[in-house]
Amino acid sequence: MALVHSELCVGCGKCVPYCPMGAISLSGGVASIDQDECVECGLCTENAICPKKALYAPESFPWPRVLRSEFSNPHCPHRTGVTGRGTEEMKTNDVTGRYRFGKLGFAVELGRPGTGARFRDMEKVTMALAKIPGVHFEEKNPVYALIEDPHSGKMRDDVLDEKVLSGIVEIMIDEAQLPDVLQALKQVEPTLDTVCSVDLISRVQADGSIPALDVVRKLGYYVSPNCKTNLGFGHL
């Protein structure tokens, strides 16, 4: 965990505004870090913020504390081998062609800087989605690695209280299941102690239309369409 050399700290307060979780404060004239709120993002210890070098981090973190760094610090490699919060298909469908016509991808993003998210809230989402027949969790997703039972969506008990900047739950469904998934998320959302957003991944029809968007709008949800075109420069 991020720590303070109290004998070096002069209480200048320069580190306080840099913490995205507001975990750093001044107490008794020296910096103090709320370890429960700290997500080990490394921002305070890796960017020479402190003029006296009073902030430091241990060489390694114990389990399950290490998850905070893996999910929050972009310089920390994740044990799944995924270099981001989600898989390649979160950004482009051209990597594996996973989302075929008739299939939809969902990404439920929990947490943001200033709020964060605990795996306990992510478990609420995975358990709600697991109740829908045919829902397939993306196995290469970092959150999936912590799911103990994919059939129920239950996560490991020892990780539930760990807090990270954000996490993403990825699933794939048939287009016909879209209303069921949105309804499940609508029901679980009030129980979450964090913010969340939903990404819908779909192929575009030959005429440029996206039928799933019409379904979402008819159900009363606001949609902000985005599109990414892969030019294929990586396929030489």
Side-chain angles (χ1 to χ4, degrees):
M1 59 285 295
L3 301 168
V4 180
H5 282 298
S6 57
E7 67 276 11
L8 297 179
C9 178
V10 295
C12 67
K14 289 185 177 180
C15 57
V16 174
Y18 280 89
C19 179
M21 294 303 301
I24 305 177
S25 61
L26 292 180
S27 177
V30 297
S32 175
I33 300 176
D34 184 337
Q35 295 299 333
D36 187 51
E37 287 298 309
C38 173
V39 294
E40 308 297 357
C41 66
L43 187 59
C44 67
T45 59
E46 297 177 5
N47 293 281
I49 292 170
C50 179
K52 298 298 182 179
K53 299 181 179 180
L55 298 175
Y56 70 101
E59 293 184 2
S60 62
F61 298 99
W63 177 268
R65 183 88 185 182
V66 66
L67 291 173
R68 298 188 180 220
S69 182
E70 290 183 357
F71 276 81
S72 307
N73 187 339
H75 298 135
C76 180
H78 196 278
R79 68 191 64 233
T80 63
V82 175
T83 55
R85 295 179 302 146
T87 61
E88 292 96 333
E89 297 293 357
M90 288 289 298
K91 296 296 183 182
T92 172
N93 192 55
D94 294 337
V95 178
T96 64
R98 181 197 310 167
Y99 302 120
R100 304 178 300 278
F101 287 111
K103 295 288 185 179
L104 296 174
F106 258 86
V108 184
E109 302 188 46
L110 296 98
R112 282 291 187 274
T115 303
R118 296 190 188 274
F119 290 111
R120 187 175 301 280
D121 279 321
M122 297 183 208
E123 182 188 60
K124 293 176 183 178
V125 172
T126 56
M127 293 187 72
L129 294 174
K131 294 178 181 178
I132 303 173
V135 164
H136 173 73
F137 289 102
E138 171 48 53
E139 296 182 7
K140 293 183 179 180
N141 176 276
V143 171
Y144 181 84
L146 305 176
I147 296 179
E148 199 170 56
D149 179 14
H151 298 292
S152 67
K154 181 74 177 69
M155 299 180 72
R156 296 178 50 149
D157 287 334
D158 58 349
V159 308
L160 296 181
D161 288 328
E162 294 302 318
K163 192 169 189 176
V164 297
L165 271 184
S166 63
I168 299 177
V169 177
E170 289 181 73
I171 63 172
M172 183 165 64
I173 62 171
D174 292 328
E175 283 187 347
Q177 294 175 297
L178 178 55
D180 294 333
V181 172
L182 290 175
Q183 181 61 28
L185 294 176
K186 184 176 182 179
Q187 290 178 347
V188 76
E189 188 273 333
T191 71
L192 303 178
D193 189 25
T194 185
V195 295
C196 70
S197 61
V198 176
D199 302 329
L200 175 63
I201 303 99
S202 171
R203 280 187 175 274
V204 178
Q205 300 291 327
D207 61 1
S209 65
I210 306 176
L213 293 185
D214 294 332
V215 176
V216 175
R217 291 190 178 105
K218 288 179 180 178
L219 292 172
Y221 294 94
Y222 169 76
V223 183
S224 178
N226 291 282
C227 181
K228 179 172 181 178
T229 301
N230 191 330
L231 299 180
F233 293 141
H235 300 281
L236 299 178

